[in-house]
Structures are given as C-alpha cells and as structure tokens.
Amino acid sequence: MTARTAIGIDIGGTGIKGAVVDLGTGALLSDRRKVPTPAGGRPADILDATVRMLEGLREEFGALPVGVCFPAVVKGGHTLSAANISEEWIGLPAESLFEERLQVPIHFVNDADAAGHAEVRFGAAKDREGVVLLTTLGTGIGTALLYNGVLVPNTELGHLELDGHDAESRAAYSAKERDDLSWADWAERLQRYYSHLELLFSPDLFIVGGGVSKNHADFLPLLDLKTPIIPAVHRNNAGILGAADLAAAGLSAGRHTAQSL
Ligand code: BGC
C-alpha cells in the first residue's frame, strides 16, 4: 500500500526546505523548515545540513519515506550538472551518498521535475491534457515538461542560450534581485524567455512556480503570450510535495531510485 504520509526535502541554490506531507491532499502536516544552503554548495556541507533537517522532522514524526529533490540533472541516482551549487557534485552518486548519511532509502529527483509531479498530482497541471511547461523562477530556472500528465525528466530549459546568455542568468528571480530590476523590467526579460519557449514547444499551458510566484499579479499580467500562463498552486512547496509523493509511491512498489520517476 502507498504510504499516506512522507517527508519531502527540497535542496535549492539558496535554501534547503523540508516538511511532512499528507499525500491524500498535498497539505503540509508540519511547519515548513528552512535552512540556508551552505555557502559554496559543497557536497559535505549540503549533506550535513540535510541530515540535521531530517533529524528534526523524524524526532517529531518518526520514520517515514523520504524524497529529496535537487537542483541538477539527476540520472540513475547521479548528479550530472551543477549550476548554482559546487561543481564537485558533477558525476557523484548523490542518491547513495544521501542514503548513507541519512541512513534511509530515499527517492532522489531533479527539483523542477518534483515540482512538475506535484502540480500534476495536486495542483495546476491536474487533469491538464497536452503540453504543459512548468518553470520555477528562483536562484536558477528549473523546468518540467509534461505531456498528458507524463513527465519528460531533466529538460533543463533554464539553460537555453538566448541572446548569447544562459537564459537563467538573465531571467531567474535571482537576476531580478541582483540587477535590482522593477517588475516591468524583469517582465521584459521573462517575455523574451517565454516567447522563446513558446516558439520551441507550442505549449498548451505555462505554469510558473518558485517563491516569487506568490507575487504573480505583479508580473504575469505584463506578459503577452499566446499560451495561458498561470501560477503554480503550490508555489514554493511544490518540490517538497513532489519529492514526498514520489518517495511514497516508489517505496511502495519496492523501488526508490531516480529511474522509477
Ligand atoms: C539547474 C536545474 C534546476 C534549476 C532550478 C538550474 O540551474 O540546472 O537542474 O532544476 O536550476 O533549481
């Protein structure tokens, strides 16, 4: 039987967040815990911070399936890229490293893919047919490409080259903060980015996640696109929810590796 409750941990370029999730409703059963991602984002430091977060949750809620999502290409449990974390992650058997340190089997997945899964299960992509492209606007840009609710993993469309730049370096929320942009100035960059995605994928729906999606009224209406564009229902919690749900589903089927996504 699929577990009804699981722990989701979302490792980001800026913060590590975790919570216990009710998998029937997608509601958080604990407060959302957050610690800053250690400077440099090196493996040993991120592993230590994740262990501390999990210990806190387990002290209160006991042993539950654990899902961890991560800001990198994840294949066969290995991290194959590193944009906003240390390059030492590239090529590491990260899933096994987390399992050794956390002393539990985990489900390990890309953070945007986890968010996409969560929005299909509990949010804005539920029952949506066709091509849905979820983007998370945060330290970087994460993407989840869904077709009739099925995820194509590791799309990494935040790294499209656009006007000679890595797209996320101009259009992520961190670029708005770094360059002190007004909503209107940032929206111009988003316009360029989403128009390009539209050209490439002719999506039926864009979903915008990440912490800044709570301010969607400040920038989504400024965009002029053919495709409807809406905020993620679960905003910045989607990664936690998706990782938790995949962990419960994977473990019930006796699987807990990235391939089971
Ligand atoms: C990473 C992606 C990640 C995204 C959001 C990008 O820089 O390459 O793997 O999904 O940031 O965290």
Side-chain angles (χ1 to χ4, degrees), residues 196-219:
H196 193 61
L197 290 179
E198 203 165 48
L199 175 79
L200 294 177
F201 294 96
S202 301
D204 296 290
L205 180 68
F206 283 122
I207 300 175
V208 180
V212 71
S213 58
K214 67 176 178 293
N215 300 109
H216 60 92
D218 291 315
F219 63 99

Side-chain angles (χ1 to χ4, degrees), residues 12-17 33-39 45-46 49-50 52-53:
T14 309
I16 300 177
K17 293 154 281 185
R33 321 241 161 132
K34 184 169 178 181
V35 295
T37 304
D45 298 334
I46 289 188
T50 310
R52 283 197 299 276
M53 169 153 306

Side-chain angles (χ1 to χ4, degrees), residues 48-133:
D48 283 348
T50 310
V51 168
R52 283 197 299 276
M53 169 153 306
L54 185 63
E55 274 170 1
L57 287 166
R58 293 180 102 197
E59 260 167 36
E60 226 174 295
F61 292 89
L64 292 169
V66 179
V68 177
C69 67
F70 198 85
V73 171
V74 174
K75 231 171 147 57
H78 288 64
T79 35
L80 300 185
S81 67
N84 297 300
I85 45 171
S86 159
E87 291 194 351
E88 289 170 28
W89 284 100
I90 298 174
L92 283 191
E95 181 175 21
S96 309
L97 292 176
F98 277 101
E99 290 186 332
E100 275 162 29
R101 286 299 313 279
L102 300 174
Q103 297 192 322
V104 282
I106 63 164
H107 189 102
F108 190 64
V109 62
N110 170 266
D111 55 358
D113 287 345
H117 175 81
E119 291 292 327
V120 170
R121 273 278 280 133
F122 307 110
K126 193 168 184 201
D127 301 325
R128 296 299 293 240
E129 305 241 303
V131 176
V132 175
L133 197 43

Side-chain angles (χ1 to χ4, degrees), residues 98-261:
F98 277 101
E99 290 186 332
E100 275 162 29
R101 286 299 313 279
L102 300 174
Q103 297 192 322
V104 282
I106 63 164
H107 189 102
F108 190 64
V109 62
N110 170 266
D111 55 358
D113 287 345
H117 175 81
E119 291 292 327
V120 170
R121 273 278 280 133
F122 307 110
K126 193 168 184 201
D127 301 325
R128 296 299 293 240
E129 305 241 303
V131 176
V132 175
L133 197 43
L134 174 133
T135 56
T136 61
L137 302 175
T139 315
I141 296 182
T143 57
L145 179 62
L146 303 152
Y147 179 60
N148 290 346
V150 176
L151 178 76
V152 179
N154 292 312
T155 43
E156 292 289 330
L157 300 173
H159 296 297
L160 283 174
E161 188 182 321
L162 206 50
D163 306 324
H165 299 276
D166 186 20
E168 73 171 24
S169 73
R170 306 257 312 148
Y173 178 59
S174 60
K176 177 184 187 302
E177 293 195 305
R178 182 195 62 219
D179 298 342
D180 202 14
L181 301 178
S182 65
W183 292 111
D185 289 341
W186 186 46
E188 277 180 29
R189 297 188 184 183
L190 293 175
Q191 177 69 39
R192 178 82 184 100
Y193 180 61
Y194 285 105
S195 303
H196 193 61
L197 290 179
E198 203 165 48
L199 175 79
L200 294 177
F201 294 96
S202 301
D204 296 290
L205 180 68
F206 283 122
I207 300 175
V208 180
V212 71
S213 58
K214 67 176 178 293
N215 300 109
H216 60 92
D218 291 315
F219 63 99
L220 290 188
L222 306 181
L223 302 180
D224 181 16
L225 299 162
K226 294 184 221 77
T227 313
I229 184 160
I230 60 172
V233 168
H234 297 287
R235 311 278 197 263
N236 218 11
N237 288 340
I240 294 176
L241 262 57
D245 192 59
L246 286 164
L251 290 176
S252 72
R255 296 168 288 147
H256 60 267
T257 67
Q259 283 111 325
S260 63
L261 181 67

